[in-house]
Amino acid sequence: MFATPWMAAAEDIPPQDASTDPTTHRDSPDAPVPPVPDQPELLTVVAPPGSALDPCDKPGLDSVPVVDSARNMLEEQSCNLVLWVDGLFGETGNIEAARRTRGVLEVTNVYSQFEGFDQRLRLHLEVDLPTMKNRLSAFVGRENEQDFVRGRTEASELRATFPTLSDQNEWLAGLGYSLPDRRNLQTSFRVGVRGLSPPMGFVQGRVRYTLYSDDNDVAYVRSTPFWNTRDRAGVTNSFDFSHIISNRLLLRWYSVGTLSQRTVGLNWRNSLILYHNLHRRRGLAYEGFIRGETDEPEPLYEYGGRVLFRHPFMRHRLYAEWAAGYSFPRTDPSLPRDGSASVGLSIEMPFGEPVDETPD
């Protein structure tokens, strides 16, 4: 419900029509063939970004000039990047697939009485590459290393609005491959690099199995074994259960834990979230959570609650997430556990999707 409403859009490329060739229109076999003027070859040309022949060039929009210009720039640069990567596995990149590239740019500001002020920039771009039957994908962006590399990207839609200062966002890039789906089983693999100084390589597998699903309920488990040059080997396991209460309310229980050779024990988190759909892409989320790590001096790190309100603005080009919460964190068991208030604002700009002209 609170996932960014990405909708892929591919611009139609008109097919070449051989009937336009003057040599195919003769009154008789003996009729003289008129000279054919020089015509440009109808070839797929990948020109430098910004040139007149750039296949990723997008027309400008005038509704929200500043935002639309930024969206167009991100879409064009992402499209050209995908063409280049896709061309590594074939003679030329696939223009239609590159134009379906989509992603999200997000800026987050958070203040917590316990951890102070924090600001984050998040960028995520991922696209399926058609060179291997659409099973190969490429990803690049600036993400939280713990969330992405360790397979904890779906811990909560509130994760970006309430980061912790110990979690640092880094640049990530790599390739993924998805195996054919089987009934309730989905499997994929990823390999990539994180950061620049020094870079950290990682390999990751993802296995998701749906335990049960019907019109109102869905439950699944997910296992993400990983290896990287910092944490060495590890695995993240999670359980997710969602229940539709009504056409406006959804209740979700999410539990996740990570073990690695670097961590002392099991890093775990449990949350119960109630989503309230307000329609017109607006919604509220109420979350209660508890998290910690076993074998630490203080195994129960934090518990508390949060409220988040999400809504679009600027003609649905941007989305805002306002959040407020109160929790009880502690890292030293010898100190009292004091309460900590938190407030946050996250601005999100999806790109690579049709612009919704519905007024706010």
Side-chain angles (χ1 to χ4, degrees), residues 148-170:
F148 193 88
V149 176
R150 299 184 182 184
R152 299 180 71 146
T153 56
E154 53 182 47
S156 170
E157 283 74 10
L158 308 179
R159 63 181 175 83
T161 315
F162 285 94
T164 61
L165 294 182
S166 59
D167 300 334
Q168 296 299 320
N169 284 13
E170 294 283 353

Side-chain angles (χ1 to χ4, degrees), residues 3 12 27 55 101 120 134 138 172 177 220 237 281 286 320 332:
D12 295 333
D27 296 333
T101 303
R120 297 293 174 90
N134 291 319
L172 295 159
Y177 183 79
Y220 66 86
N237 293 319
R281 300 190 181 184
Y286 311 89
D332 188 346

Side-chain angles (χ1 to χ4, degrees), residues 152 235-239 255-259 266-269:
R152 299 180 71 146
V235 62
T236 294
N237 293 319
S238 64
F239 172 78
S255 179
V256 61
T258 299
L259 280 170
L266 175 68
N267 185 294
W268 56 273
R269 188 180 193 278

